[in-house]
Amino acid sequence: QHPSCLVVPVGFTTSMEVKASIRAAQGTLRRIEITSQALGGIKTIFAIYLPDVVECRKLPVVYWLSGLTCTDENFSQKAGAFQAACDSQIVLVMPDTSPRGDGVPDEDPKSYDFGVGAGFYLNATTDKYQKHYNMYEFVVKELPAIVEKEFPVNSLRSICGHSMGGHGALTIALKNPDRYESVSAFSPICNPMECAWGQKAFPLYLGEDKNSWKQYDAKELIKSYKGKDLHILCDCGTADNFLIGDVNQLRPLQFIDEALAAKVPVTFRMQAGYDHSYYFISTFIGEHLAHHAKFLHAKSLSHAGL
């Protein structure tokens, strides 16, 4: 070990349980169980990938938000992102997509696009769901506070996601530009107010007042965005069944039109032949992580006065 390396603490001051520790690439993936106050006092699992270089210095974090039906494990097992994280010298953090477990409400009959596995990264306001379904609060505030307290990371963050998670990444970054250096998305739901997924979920989580929905719609948020350049990068496949199928759930053109009108820089790439799956994500995840690393490390150097 190099003499300038930091000693990484073994114990935690936050109450948490390591459910798994897995060697991957030049680092370690840990699955961590905590009790979340934002999610109504229930236990939730997040994953964190730590390249070995954290033994020598603190790294910035990229938060990954997954899509409908997923847990923290989908990205870890399918994206092939860990070597890219090592190469880019960034930590990855992957939360769940919703609260889950005993006492967490849902609709009956259960459907894939609402409730457990489909938290939509918002803070619910309806009586049935407001106690537990606060993934926005969890991702923006509670989880980063724990990660930055308990792990060898610095306070610089970027955020990315897929589908519902792409919606979450875009809306969270547009609402909190001071907290993130960059944002990217794969196949994001860009305009949920006007697609079937959002029109089902938003009334149940937020009530019938459509004005309250706008704060969780990337197309609506970018209309009035006046913050810093978030270096927005999006990729969508031209063979995505949720784009070209019977129902256009993603609506990227509406988002691009509003970004253009508002003069907000966005790089939105339509990738020929790719679908909505992790085959698509695994193809371009290295580019996305390198994109974030460029801005995270530049900010880190500016903080150091270099």
Side-chain angles (χ1 to χ4, degrees), residues 123-131 202-208:
N123 288 340
T125 56
T126 54
D127 289 344
K128 183 174 180 179
Y129 294 106
Q130 65 181 351
K131 178 178 179 181
F202 282 7
L204 291 168
Y205 284 135
L206 302 170
E208 297 294 337

Side-chain angles (χ1 to χ4, degrees), residues 9 16 21 31 94 149 158 222 249 255 265 269 282 285:
M16 58 177 68
S21 183
R31 299 188 70 225
M94 295 77 75
K149 179 181 179 183
S158 291
I222 209 162
Q249 299 276 22
F255 175 71
R269 309 184 301 190
S282 68
I285 190 63

Side-chain angles (χ1 to χ4, degrees), residues 71-117:
T71 69
D72 66 285
E73 293 190 283
N74 296 72
F75 180 82
S76 297
Q77 295 176 358
K78 297 179 179 180
F82 299 140
Q83 186 61 57
C86 293
D87 294 343
S88 292
Q89 297 194 3
I90 53 174
V91 168
L92 299 175
V93 172
M94 295 77 75
D96 204 342
T97 54
S98 76
R100 63 181 74 229
D102 294 341
V104 175
D106 205 338
E107 293 297 289
D108 187 17
K110 169 63 183 166
S111 63
Y112 81 96
D113 54 358
F114 183 82
V116 173

Side-chain angles (χ1 to χ4, degrees), residues 9-294:
V10 176
F12 300 116
T13 58
T14 303
S15 177
M16 58 177 68
E17 179 183 350
V18 179
K19 306 296 286 187
S21 183
I22 304 159
R23 185 73 176 160
Q26 296 83 52
T28 302
L29 174 71
R30 292 180 180 177
R31 299 188 70 225
I32 308 288
E33 184 179 75
I34 59 172
T35 299
S36 168
Q37 298 310 308
L39 302 182
I42 57 98
K43 291 183 176 179
T44 188
I45 293 176
F46 72 92
I48 183 167
Y49 180 74
L50 297 157
D52 291 341
V53 73
V54 297
E55 295 178 5
C56 294
R57 62 187 178 91
K58 293 182 177 181
L59 295 182
V61 179
V62 174
Y63 288 83
W64 171 268
L65 306 183
S66 287
L68 293 166
T69 75
C70 292
T71 69
D72 66 285
E73 293 190 283
N74 296 72
F75 180 82
S76 297
Q77 295 176 358
K78 297 179 179 180
F82 299 140
Q83 186 61 57
C86 293
D87 294 343
S88 292
Q89 297 194 3
I90 53 174
V91 168
L92 299 175
V93 172
M94 295 77 75
D96 204 342
T97 54
S98 76
R100 63 181 74 229
D102 294 341
V104 175
D106 205 338
E107 293 297 289
D108 187 17
K110 169 63 183 166
S111 63
Y112 81 96
D113 54 358
F114 183 82
V116 173
F120 275 87
Y121 303 103
L122 48 72
N123 288 340
T125 56
T126 54
D127 289 344
K128 183 174 180 179
Y129 294 106
Q130 65 181 351
K131 178 178 179 181
H132 294 289
Y133 284 83
N134 297 300
M135 288 301 295
Y136 175 88
E137 179 76 13
F138 179 70
V139 169
V140 174
K141 296 182 179 179
E142 187 176 26
L143 182 57
I146 291 170
V147 168
E148 289 164 24
K149 179 181 179 183
E150 301 294 351
F151 295 95
V153 304
N154 60 37
S155 61
L156 298 175
R157 315 173 200 94
S158 291
I159 191 166
C160 58
H162 171 232
S163 195
M164 178 185 72
H167 141 78
L170 290 172
T171 55
I172 284 171
L174 289 167
K175 287 162 67 73
N176 301 275
D178 57 320
R179 293 184 64 84
Y180 302 96
E181 299 305 316
S182 54
V183 57
S184 73
F186 292 84
S187 314
I189 305 170
C190 295
N191 184 201
M193 290 181 65
E194 300 298 335
C195 79
W197 281 334
Q199 289 172 347
K200 175 180 179 177
F202 282 7
L204 291 168
Y205 284 135
L206 302 170
E208 297 294 337
D209 181 6
K210 291 188 176 181
N211 284 325
S212 70
W213 302 3
K214 292 181 179 180
Q215 63 181 310
Y216 300 113
D217 187 301
K219 176 208 161 190
E220 294 296 323
L221 289 170
I222 209 162
K223 281 183 182 181
S224 57
Y225 182 73
K226 303 298 182 185
K228 70 183 183 186
D229 184 0
L230 283 164
H231 312 291
I232 301 169
L233 171 64
C234 299
D235 278 320
C236 189
T238 61
D240 191 312
N241 59 301
F242 295 114
L243 176 68
I244 63 171
D246 293 338
V247 178
N248 180 356
Q249 299 276 22
L250 307 181
R251 297 177 62 84
L253 294 180
Q254 287 73 16
F255 175 71
I256 295 167
D257 285 346
E258 292 298 347
L260 183 63
K263 297 181 172 58
V264 179
V266 172
T267 300
F268 207 116
R269 309 184 301 190
M270 298 302 300
Q271 302 287 5
Y274 291 92
D275 59 17
H276 198 75
S277 73
Y278 268 89
Y279 295 112
F280 170 49
I281 295 169
S282 68
T283 303
F284 297 101
I285 190 63
E287 290 184 31
H288 280 239
L289 296 184
H291 174 80
H292 294 303
K294 177 170 62 174

